[in-house]
Amino acid sequence: MAAADRQALLRVEALEKTFRSGGGLFSPPRSVRAVDGISFSIAAGETVGLVGESGCGKTTVGRLVLRLLEPTGGTVAFDGVDLRSLDPARMRAMRRDLQIIFQDPLGALNPRMSVGELIMEPLVIHGVGDAVDRQRRLAELLGLVGLASYHAGRFPHEFSGGQRQRICIARALALNPRFIVCDEAASALDVSIQAQILNLLQDLRNELSLTYLFISHDLGVIRHISDRIMVMYLGQIVESGAKREIFEAPAHPYTVALLRSAPSRRRGKTRFSAIKGELPSPSNPPAGCRFHTRCPIAREVCRTTPPPLAAVSAGNHRAACHFAGEMTL
C-alpha cells in the first residue's frame, strides 16, 4: 500500500548529512555529503525498502531518521513531531517508539551480559515496571521471537547467528516500538536462516502493527519484505515506487542496472550483468546526473543538469532521470 493511501508516520524532508574528514597544515578538510537532500514518507504499518550499492548512504539515512546521527540539514518528523526540535530528555522518551536492528548481531550484543539482561536493559533504562513485570515481559519477548525461557541465562557467544539476531529483535521490541529501522538485518545470515528471520519480521509487523524502514543491498531480500522501494545512488534517491513497479517496470537506468546485476536462474544457468564503472567518490560527485558516468544512455543534458525526482506514471512511481523509462530490462 502506498504511503499516500495512509497517514504518514515518518516524514523526511530535504534531509542532508555532510561529514568532514582529513585536513592538515597545508590542506583543507574534505567534505563528504553522504546524504544529499532526500525526501520521503512512510505510512503506519508499511515496510519501505531502501536499496543501493555499498557506500551510497543507506545506513546513514537509517541513523539520521533515528537521530543516532545529527542531520546537517532538513527535517525528520515522527507522528507529526520534529525530532530535531527535541531536547535530550524528550528525545530519550521518544526512543521508546523508535528502534533499530543492526546488521551484525554479535557486535550489537554486550558479550558480558546474559540474554535476559540484554533484553531487559531497555526496560531498566526507561524505568518500565518492576522486577516481576520485567521477567514477565522477558518471557513474552523470548516467545515472540522463537526462543525458549531457558535461553535467558545464556550469553551471546553460545548462540548461532540466527539466534543472536532473534535476540536483537527481542531487544528492539522490548519497549513496544512503533517504528524500526532494519539495517541489513538479514544479510550476515545463511540463506535458509535469512528466510526465517525475514518471515519472523513480517509476522511481527502484522501482529504488533510495526512500521519498518528496511535497508539492504540484496534485491531478493528487498523484494520479499517490502511494500514500497526506494533506490539510492551516491546520497540521493533516484527512483521510488511500489514493489511491482520497481521490479517489473523500472524507470531509472541505475535501477535497471541493479536488477540486471542480480543473479537470476534462466534455462538452468545463473546469469547476471555487472554494472560498468566504479562508484564515484562521494567527496567529489559528478555534475549533472550522478549516474551519468556509468549510464549507457547518458547524453549532454545528463552531464550538466541534475534531473528532479519526478512522476513517471499516474501512481507514486518516481524517477530522477531525464530519459526515464527509455532503458528497460
Side-chain angles (χ1 to χ4, degrees):
M1 189 179 294
D5 298 333
R6 292 172 287 178
Q7 183 178 2
L9 180 65
L10 181 78
R11 190 176 299 278
V12 173
E13 297 287 345
L15 187 64
E16 297 181 2
K17 180 60 178 178
T18 299
F19 295 101
R20 299 189 184 278
S21 63
L25 185 61
F26 301 106
S27 60
R30 291 189 308 159
S31 294
V32 178
R33 184 166 286 187
V35 177
D36 192 5
I38 69 171
S39 300
F40 62 90
S41 61
I42 302 178
E46 188 179 31
T47 297
V48 173
L50 181 60
V51 66
E53 293 172 279
S54 296
C56 71
K58 306 185 300 295
T59 291
T60 302
V61 171
R63 297 185 182 222
L64 288 172
V65 299
L66 298 180
R67 265 192 75 185
L68 297 177
L69 290 173
E70 288 295 334
T72 306
T75 61
V76 178
F78 179 78
D79 202 15
V81 178
D82 181 3
L83 297 185
R84 295 191 68 190
S85 70
L86 301 182
D87 59 33
R90 293 175 64 201
M91 188 65 220
R92 179 175 176 175
M94 181 66 78
R95 292 201 184 281
R96 296 182 63 163
D97 285 329
L98 306 166
Q99 292 294 319
I100 185 168
I101 301 169
F102 294 101
Q103 175 179 0
D104 178 14
L106 186 58
L109 299 172
N110 187 333
R112 293 184 173 88
M113 296 176 70
S114 70
V115 166
E117 291 170 331
L118 286 164
I119 293 175
M120 288 193 294
E121 185 179 32
L123 302 175
V124 174
I125 290 172
H126 287 269
V128 177
D130 56 22
V132 175
D133 294 329
R134 292 166 191 163
Q135 286 293 334
R136 187 182 301 116
R137 179 62 174 156
L138 170 62
E140 179 184 351
L141 289 165
L142 288 170
L144 272 175
V145 299
L147 295 173
S149 58
Y150 62 81
H151 287 134
R154 297 184 180 178
F155 290 82
H157 71 273
E158 300 180 77
F159 294 88
S160 68
Q163 288 174 318
R164 285 194 288 262
Q165 196 60 291
R166 290 174 186 270
I167 295 166
C168 289
I169 293 170
R171 181 180 165 93
L173 294 175
L175 296 169
N176 289 312
R178 299 165 64 194
F179 177 77
I180 299 178
V181 172
C182 303
D183 186 9
E184 301 277 9
S187 65
L189 306 174
D190 294 339
V191 174
S192 60
I193 305 302
Q194 186 180 88
Q196 293 175 19
I197 295 299
L198 292 176
N199 290 335
L200 172 63
L201 288 170
Q202 286 184 311
D203 291 343
L204 291 170
R205 181 187 74 166
N206 296 332
E207 184 177 347
L208 304 176
S209 300
L210 298 171
T211 303
Y212 295 140
L213 173 61
F214 200 97
I215 299 167
S216 180
H217 66 277
D218 189 322
L219 287 164
V221 167
I222 288 291
R223 185 170 196 169
H224 181 83
I225 201 168
S226 302
D227 300 313
R228 211 162 34 90
I229 296 169
M230 301 184 297
V231 181
M232 193 168 187
Y233 183 79
L234 216 60
Q236 297 181 335
I237 302 297
V238 297
E239 185 166 3
S240 65
K243 174 169 59 178
R244 182 173 181 177
E245 293 170 328
I246 297 298
F247 279 90
E248 296 183 9
H252 196 283
Y254 177 62
T255 308
V256 174
L258 276 182
L259 293 170
R260 287 180 178 177
S261 69
S264 61
R265 304 294 298 181
R266 295 181 183 177
R267 297 181 182 178
K269 296 182 179 180
T270 301
R271 302 177 60 188
F272 65 94
S273 175
I275 302 176
K276 295 181 180 180
E278 295 293 331
L279 187 70
S281 170
S283 63
N284 186 29
C289 173
R290 296 189 173 183
F291 188 60
H292 84 258
T293 58
R294 306 169 73 188
C295 180
I297 63 169
R299 301 167 200 175
E300 187 58 35
V301 66
C302 305
R303 299 178 178 89
T304 59
T305 307
L309 188 64
V312 295
S313 67
N316 293 306
H317 191 185
R318 297 176 178 273
C321 179
H322 295 296
F323 306 100
E326 187 170 303
M327 185 175 170
T328 58
L329 287 172

